[in-house]
Amino acid sequence: SPQGRGKKKSRKHQRFMERRALLEQKGLLSPRGRLGSQTPEVGLVALTALTEANGTTAPRCDKVPKPRRIVSASLSPSASPDSIARHHSVLLSQGNGSSKRVRTSSLVLRPGKYVAIDCEMVGTGPQGRLSELARCSVVNYEGDVIYDKYVQPELPIVDYRTRWSGITKQHMKNAIPFKAAQAEILKILKDKIVVGHAIHNDFQALKYFHPKDRTRDTSQIHVLKKRAGLPVRANVSLKNLARHLLHKKIQVGCKGHSSVEDAQTAMELYRLVEVQWEKELAHSLPPRPPSPVTDPTADSSQYLDDQYWPTELMASGL
């Protein structure tokens, strides 16, 4: 009968309260209303163990209280550019020793989040004036090469520009078609912070637009120019920045540039002023709402759809 079930439930509750009081006396369970360092799960386990030892069935607990979430000082690989910048800003404001914490906390993030890119172009079209992609190199935060391939332009090559590009006819024998290379490269760049020098040229060669808040162009950052003792408004080459700040010589000789070396140098320069740069970006870049371009579920093949191109560019091309 309902009355019998009520009495049974009441007796069961009395036994439960008696065991709880016993556990509290033995220090195995914190008193209700003033939980200490012990989590609810610990007390629940202890209560279950005591109940099983007595040979009775413990009351069923459908909902187990969740422990308080502890926010780690490190950033997750899915962190947004805005949170990255704010994180650096907070660490920088903490005073001495903050740079070490920045490096330590960011190691969790960078291997899959930061890349540097450099492209080499050849001349196609009338008199070879049209620049098309012929080689692309991508390195990770540590400077390790994760992509380096020669690319066959869509139009016939008129000028190899070997003195600057380092590209020769021999390199084109094993080159992959532009569309195939473009798909591979955009897959790597998707949702990444991309570092480069005069990086708009590389994106133009890839026929691609990368979000501004995920782009770090070493030719535009004032911190690097000030540190090198160069005019802030001057156009400074990657070669000069490397000589002044990294004390190394690049782009020497008559065999042209190495896109791998240039990408690695751009990443080195970024890392040199990373904290200051990210702090400035934290104040200058407004939060960017999610868009189809950076949506992790978006297919990279959609990047070149008309709907993602700037309106003014579409109008000028008509």
Side-chain angles (χ1 to χ4, degrees):
S1 66
Q3 187 176 2
R5 284 198 298 269
K7 290 182 179 180
K8 186 177 181 181
K9 183 177 180 181
S10 177
R11 286 195 295 271
K12 190 177 288 186
H13 179 69
Q14 289 175 0
R15 289 197 298 271
F16 172 79
M17 295 304 296
E18 290 171 358
R19 295 189 194 101
R20 183 183 183 94
L22 179 61
L23 286 172
E24 289 178 358
Q25 290 175 2
K26 292 185 176 183
L28 297 175
L29 185 66
S30 299
R32 285 179 295 174
R34 29 187 205 91
L35 292 175
S37 59
Q38 195 175 22
T39 61
E41 286 82 354
V42 176
L44 188 62
V45 171
L47 179 61
T48 305
L50 180 62
T51 304
E52 292 175 352
N54 292 338
T56 59
T57 303
R60 181 176 176 180
C61 229
D62 292 328
K63 294 184 179 180
V64 178
K66 294 182 180 180
R68 179 180 294 180
R69 184 180 177 186
I70 299 175
V71 180
S72 173
S74 62
L75 290 166
S76 69
S78 60
S80 67
D82 296 323
S83 62
I84 296 168
R86 286 194 297 271
H87 183 68
H88 281 88
S89 179
V90 169
L91 290 176
L92 184 66
S93 66
Q94 290 177 352
N96 295 333
S98 62
S99 60
K100 183 178 180 181
R101 286 192 292 273
V102 169
R103 181 170 179 79
T104 303
S105 66
S106 300
L107 286 176
V108 179
L109 174 82
R110 291 189 185 112
K113 196 72 177 179
Y114 284 78
V115 295
I117 189 173
D118 188 75
C119 298
E120 300 297 342
M121 278 72 83
V122 293
T124 64
Q127 300 179 349
R129 292 180 179 176
L130 180 64
S131 294
E132 286 200 59
L133 182 67
R135 183 186 180 185
C136 182
S137 302
V138 183
V139 302
N140 63 14
Y141 181 79
E142 302 298 334
D144 301 322
V145 178
I146 57 179
Y147 188 90
D148 183 29
K149 290 186 180 182
Y150 290 97
V151 182
Q152 182 68 53
E154 294 181 300
L155 296 177
I157 299 175
V158 177
D159 184 0
Y160 283 92
R161 304 177 183 174
T162 305
R163 179 181 173 185
W164 298 277
S165 69
I167 306 295
T168 64
K169 188 176 181 180
Q170 188 71 20
H171 292 134
M172 291 297 103
K173 289 184 178 181
N174 296 320
I176 67 172
F178 172 77
K179 288 293 185 183
Q182 183 192 52
E184 293 174 350
I185 297 164
L186 296 193
K187 187 175 181 180
I188 295 173
L189 301 187
K190 185 178 178 181
D191 295 323
K192 300 292 193 305
I193 304 296
V194 184
V195 180
H197 191 84
I199 200 170
H200 62 279
N201 293 322
D202 303 306
F203 291 152
Q204 185 176 2
L206 287 166
K207 299 180 180 179
Y208 166 69
F209 293 94
H210 198 68
K212 183 179 179 181
D213 61 353
R214 293 177 183 267
T215 302
R216 305 290 185 267
D217 191 338
T218 55
S219 70
Q220 300 296 322
I221 181 62
H222 293 172
V223 176
L224 281 172
K225 296 177 183 179
K226 290 179 181 178
R227 193 158 180 169
L230 301 170
V232 172
R233 297 184 180 276
N235 291 323
V236 183
S237 67
L238 183 67
K239 183 176 182 178
N240 283 337
L241 286 175
R243 180 166 57 88
H244 282 90
L245 298 176
L246 303 177
H247 307 292
K248 75 176 196 176
K249 296 180 180 180
I250 63 171
Q251 302 175 355
V252 295
C254 57
K255 293 185 178 180
H257 301 178
S258 165
S259 52
V260 169
E261 183 181 52
D262 289 354
Q264 290 172 333
T265 302
M267 183 60 82
E268 284 184 69
L269 289 169
Y270 168 76
R271 292 176 60 174
L272 193 65
V273 294
E274 176 184 3
V275 175
Q276 297 93 324
W277 195 346
E278 295 297 341
K279 183 183 178 183
E280 289 183 4
L281 287 174
H283 298 289
S284 63
L285 287 177
R288 182 174 56 86
S291 66
V293 176
T294 56
D295 185 353
T297 62
D299 185 1
S300 61
S301 63
Q302 297 177 347
Y303 284 2
L304 298 180
D305 287 354
D306 290 347
Q307 59 179 315
Y308 300 131
W309 285 65
T311 307
E312 60 271 16
L313 182 64
M314 292 298 297
S316 63
L318 298 176

